[in-house]
Amino acid sequence: MHEFNWGLLIVVYLFLGGLSAGLFFAAGLANYLEVDGQPAYPRIARMGALLAPWPVAIGSALLILDLGNWYRFYKLFMHFRWESPMSIGSWLLTLFTLIAFVYGFAWLPEDWRQKLFSKVPPTWKQVHRLNVDLSGHRKTLAMIGFPFAIGVGIYTGVLLGAVSARPFWNTNLVAQMFLFSALSSGAAALLLAMVLDPKNPIETHETKFLITLDIVFIVLELFIILPYLIHGTLSVLAVKQALWLILGGPYTVVFWVFFLGLGLLTPLGIEVYELAPSLLKGHAFHGSRNLALAASGLVLFGGFLLRYLFVYAGQVSSFHKMGMLH
Amino acid sequence: MAIKKKRYALVIDSRKCINCKACAVACKAENEVPVGNFRNWINEDRQGEYPKLRIDFEPEQCHHCEHPSCVRVCPTGASWQRKDGIVLVNDDECIGCRYCMIACPYDARYFHEASGTVHKCTLCSHRIDKGTIPACVETCPSKVRVFGDLEDPASRVHELLATRRYRVKEPQTGNGPQLYYLL
Ligand code: SF4
Ligand code: SF4
């Protein structure tokens, strides 16, 4: 009987890591775009910067708790093994988390920052030295962070894709699928956070930006999932049998109905429905709050399910056991 | 005298296997394998319907691969390979991430709940180093398992692989398994 070595905590961690990467990417992008020399989406940039470090920090903590010996996690940093995606990933993740926190710090409003440091005992001089205004370096920090965000988004897929023993994973498409899903989740999470922010109601141009971004990422994700399915069914027997897990096997409904239908195509449909009139007919963009809520919630649900599906189905798929599944 | 290179392997004559499971029991006793876990086991392949029924038994365990994917993915270097080919886990270095279990094409590893680390067949390296043979090999009443050094032309494994036809399992993974099944 096959038991699962990686469970729900790993799924949550993969999702949260990707979410942070996506948040950072969208926020950094929003920071770059300018209209008439003025930042076009400063509120999105700030919201994203303040949110980005947390999911990955929580996710990494969960990952450490999931280890058989959690207090040995420091051993990950005593070695650098370039052949092990997990070794590369732990370094990448740590650096990205640090950069994301520094970047978030650079976006802290002045009064928040002073309030934060007023809680630190005055004798802790070293800590008070950190109370510096980094707001002038936001663009540089975002620039440094971009490759790390992409790296974290892609490595969660590489982690699985690099395992030659699991035909369900062992294709280079999984990395890109996870990356685009992460970027889309980040855009959706920002949309959700902006819509739910009671103090600053989201403005239509902000909704439009995030929805456009999300449509681009979902479409890119679809362009990876379709080749994954087509290529897989045309591949060697082991891969074909692994794909059976979602083409008739136990994960079929989760994949087609919940992930692809509810988590990907439905939000895409909603977002295109919202954007199309302004894009094609030049109408003003309105942006319904409820539709934005629904779409962003579903995208996050879909992003989680993608990881759930791959972690579980991938572990079932193996060269010597697949034949016995039928 | 130059130190001779060694490459340990198992040659398995599955057709002699009677599914008595003495090997699995001997291994558990020798290596204190917890209840519910196994370092070696017997695969059963049933074909047909009674009375035209056929059952094949095939012992399996860690293949001590030439290019072990478990060693490649381990982030800490806890999984490692000796010069003589034996693949081991350094219990003090293992953080229990289980990536190696996922990377093994043969599901040959198990998670040891008490230690929080991953364990597997060691080919009884503690016995080999004293010049004896693995417990499963010693116990097998029908002499299914033959242990030996592939680099030694005088060894029985050499003779068997030179004179009999054989296969290895899932060679397409590139792991280079070193359990040779006679046909
Ligand atoms: S059979 Fe599995 S555990 Fe043994 S060496 Fe090969 S990959 Fe590693
Ligand atoms: S569980 Fe232990 S031996 Fe296996 S990959 Fe992780 S650290 Fe290495």
Side-chain angles (χ1 to χ4, degrees), chain A residues 133-152:
Chain A
D133 182 8
L134 290 178
S135 55
H137 301 288
R138 285 172 189 164
K139 282 210 167 146
T140 319
L141 286 169
M143 198 55 134
I144 298 172
F146 273 138
F148 285 93
I150 302 279
V152 166

CSV table of all heavy atoms in Angstrom, one decimal, chain A residues 133-152:
chain,number,residue,atom,x,y,z
A,133,ASP,N,15.1,55.3,7.1
A,133,ASP,CA,14.1,55.5,6.1
A,133,ASP,C,14.7,54.9,4.8
A,133,ASP,O,15.6,55.4,4.2
A,133,ASP,CB,13.9,57.0,5.9
A,133,ASP,CG,12.8,57.2,4.9
A,133,ASP,OD1,12.2,56.2,4.4
A,133,ASP,OD2,12.6,58.4,4.6
A,134,LEU,N,14.1,53.8,4.3
A,134,LEU,CA,14.5,53.2,3.1
A,134,LEU,C,13.7,53.5,1.9
A,134,LEU,O,13.8,52.9,0.8
A,134,LEU,CB,14.6,51.6,3.2
A,134,LEU,CG,15.6,51.0,4.2
A,134,LEU,CD1,15.4,49.5,4.3
A,134,LEU,CD2,17.0,51.4,3.7
A,135,SER,N,12.7,54.4,2.1
A,135,SER,CA,11.7,54.6,1.0
A,135,SER,C,12.4,55.1,-0.3
A,135,SER,O,11.8,54.9,-1.4
A,135,SER,CB,10.7,55.7,1.5
A,135,SER,OG,11.3,56.8,1.9
A,136,GLY,N,13.6,55.7,-0.2
A,136,GLY,CA,14.2,56.1,-1.5
A,136,GLY,C,14.8,54.9,-2.2
A,136,GLY,O,15.1,55.1,-3.4
A,137,HIS,N,14.9,53.8,-1.6
A,137,HIS,CA,15.5,52.6,-2.3
A,137,HIS,C,14.5,51.6,-2.7
A,137,HIS,O,14.9,50.5,-3.1
A,137,HIS,CB,16.5,51.9,-1.3
A,137,HIS,CG,17.6,52.8,-0.8
A,137,HIS,ND1,18.6,53.3,-1.6
A,137,HIS,CD2,17.8,53.4,0.4
A,137,HIS,CE1,19.4,54.1,-1.0
A,137,HIS,NE2,18.9,54.2,0.3
A,138,ARG,N,13.2,52.0,-2.7
A,138,ARG,CA,12.2,51.0,-3.1
A,138,ARG,C,12.4,50.3,-4.4
A,138,ARG,O,12.3,49.1,-4.6
A,138,ARG,CB,10.8,51.6,-3.0
A,138,ARG,CG,10.3,51.9,-1.6
A,138,ARG,CD,9.1,52.7,-1.6
A,138,ARG,NE,8.7,53.1,-0.3
A,138,ARG,CZ,7.9,54.1,0.0
A,138,ARG,NH1,7.3,54.7,-1.0
A,138,ARG,NH2,7.6,54.4,1.2
A,139,LYS,N,12.7,51.1,-5.4
A,139,LYS,CA,12.9,50.6,-6.8
A,139,LYS,C,14.1,49.6,-6.8
A,139,LYS,O,14.0,48.6,-7.4
A,139,LYS,CB,13.1,51.7,-7.8
A,139,LYS,CG,11.8,52.4,-8.1
A,139,LYS,CD,11.8,52.9,-9.5
A,139,LYS,CE,10.3,53.3,-9.9
A,139,LYS,NZ,10.2,54.4,-10.7
A,140,THR,N,15.2,50.0,-6.2
A,140,THR,CA,16.4,49.1,-6.2
A,140,THR,C,16.0,47.8,-5.5
A,140,THR,O,16.4,46.7,-6.0
A,140,THR,CB,17.5,49.8,-5.4
A,140,THR,OG1,17.5,51.2,-5.7
A,140,THR,CG2,18.8,49.2,-5.7
A,141,LEU,N,15.3,47.9,-4.4
A,141,LEU,CA,15.0,46.7,-3.6
A,141,LEU,C,14.1,45.8,-4.4
A,141,LEU,O,14.3,44.6,-4.5
A,141,LEU,CB,14.3,47.1,-2.3
A,141,LEU,CG,15.3,47.6,-1.2
A,141,LEU,CD1,14.5,48.2,0.0
A,141,LEU,CD2,16.2,46.5,-0.7
A,142,ALA,N,13.1,46.4,-5.1
A,142,ALA,CA,12.2,45.6,-6.0
A,142,ALA,C,13.0,44.9,-7.1
A,142,ALA,O,12.8,43.8,-7.4
A,142,ALA,CB,11.1,46.5,-6.6
A,143,MET,N,14.0,45.7,-7.6
A,143,MET,CA,14.8,45.1,-8.7
A,143,MET,C,15.6,43.9,-8.2
A,143,MET,O,15.7,42.9,-8.9
A,143,MET,CB,15.7,46.2,-9.2
A,143,MET,CG,16.4,46.0,-10.5
A,143,MET,SD,15.1,45.7,-11.7
A,143,MET,CE,15.7,46.7,-13.0
A,144,ILE,N,16.2,44.1,-7.0
A,144,ILE,CA,16.9,42.9,-6.5
A,144,ILE,C,16.0,41.8,-6.2
A,144,ILE,O,16.4,40.6,-6.4
A,144,ILE,CB,17.6,43.4,-5.1
A,144,ILE,CG1,18.6,44.5,-5.4
A,144,ILE,CG2,18.4,42.2,-4.5
A,144,ILE,CD1,19.2,45.1,-4.2
A,145,GLY,N,14.8,42.1,-5.7
A,145,GLY,CA,13.9,41.0,-5.3
A,145,GLY,C,13.3,40.2,-6.5
A,145,GLY,O,12.9,39.1,-6.3
A,146,PHE,N,13.1,40.9,-7.6
A,146,PHE,CA,12.4,40.2,-8.7
A,146,PHE,C,13.0,38.8,-9.0
A,146,PHE,O,12.2,37.9,-9.0
A,146,PHE,CB,12.5,41.1,-10.0
A,146,PHE,CG,11.3,42.1,-10.1
A,146,PHE,CD1,11.6,43.4,-10.5
A,146,PHE,CD2,10.0,41.7,-9.8
A,146,PHE,CE1,10.5,44.3,-10.6
A,146,PHE,CE2,9.0,42.6,-9.9
A,146,PHE,CZ,9.2,43.9,-10.3
A,147,PRO,N,14.3,38.7,-9.3
A,147,PRO,CA,14.8,37.4,-9.7
A,147,PRO,C,14.5,36.4,-8.5
A,147,PRO,O,14.3,35.2,-8.8
A,147,PRO,CB,16.2,37.6,-9.9
A,147,PRO,CG,16.6,39.0,-9.5
A,147,PRO,CD,15.3,39.8,-9.4
A,148,PHE,N,14.6,36.8,-7.3
A,148,PHE,CA,14.4,35.9,-6.2
A,148,PHE,C,12.9,35.5,-6.1
A,148,PHE,O,12.6,34.3,-5.8
A,148,PHE,CB,14.8,36.5,-4.9
A,148,PHE,CG,16.3,36.6,-4.7
A,148,PHE,CD1,17.0,37.7,-5.1
A,148,PHE,CD2,17.0,35.5,-4.2
A,148,PHE,CE1,18.4,37.8,-5.0
A,148,PHE,CE2,18.4,35.5,-4.1
A,148,PHE,CZ,19.1,36.7,-4.5
A,149,ALA,N,12.0,36.4,-6.4
A,149,ALA,CA,10.6,36.1,-6.4
A,149,ALA,C,10.3,35.0,-7.5
A,149,ALA,O,9.7,34.0,-7.2
A,149,ALA,CB,9.8,37.3,-6.6
A,150,ILE,N,10.9,35.3,-8.7
A,150,ILE,CA,10.7,34.3,-9.8
A,150,ILE,C,11.3,33.0,-9.4
A,150,ILE,O,10.7,31.9,-9.6
A,150,ILE,CB,11.4,34.8,-11.1
A,150,ILE,CG1,10.8,36.2,-11.5
A,150,ILE,CG2,11.2,33.8,-12.2
A,150,ILE,CD1,9.5,36.1,-12.2
A,151,GLY,N,12.5,33.1,-8.8
A,151,GLY,CA,13.2,31.9,-8.4
A,151,GLY,C,12.3,31.0,-7.4
A,151,GLY,O,12.2,29.8,-7.5
A,152,VAL,N,11.7,31.7,-6.4
A,152,VAL,CA,10.9,31.0,-5.4
A,152,VAL,C,9.7,30.4,-6.1
A,152,VAL,O,9.3,29.3,-5.8
A,152,VAL,CB,10.5,31.9,-4.2
A,152,VAL,CG1,9.4,31.3,-3.4
A,152,VAL,CG2,11.8,32.2,-3.4
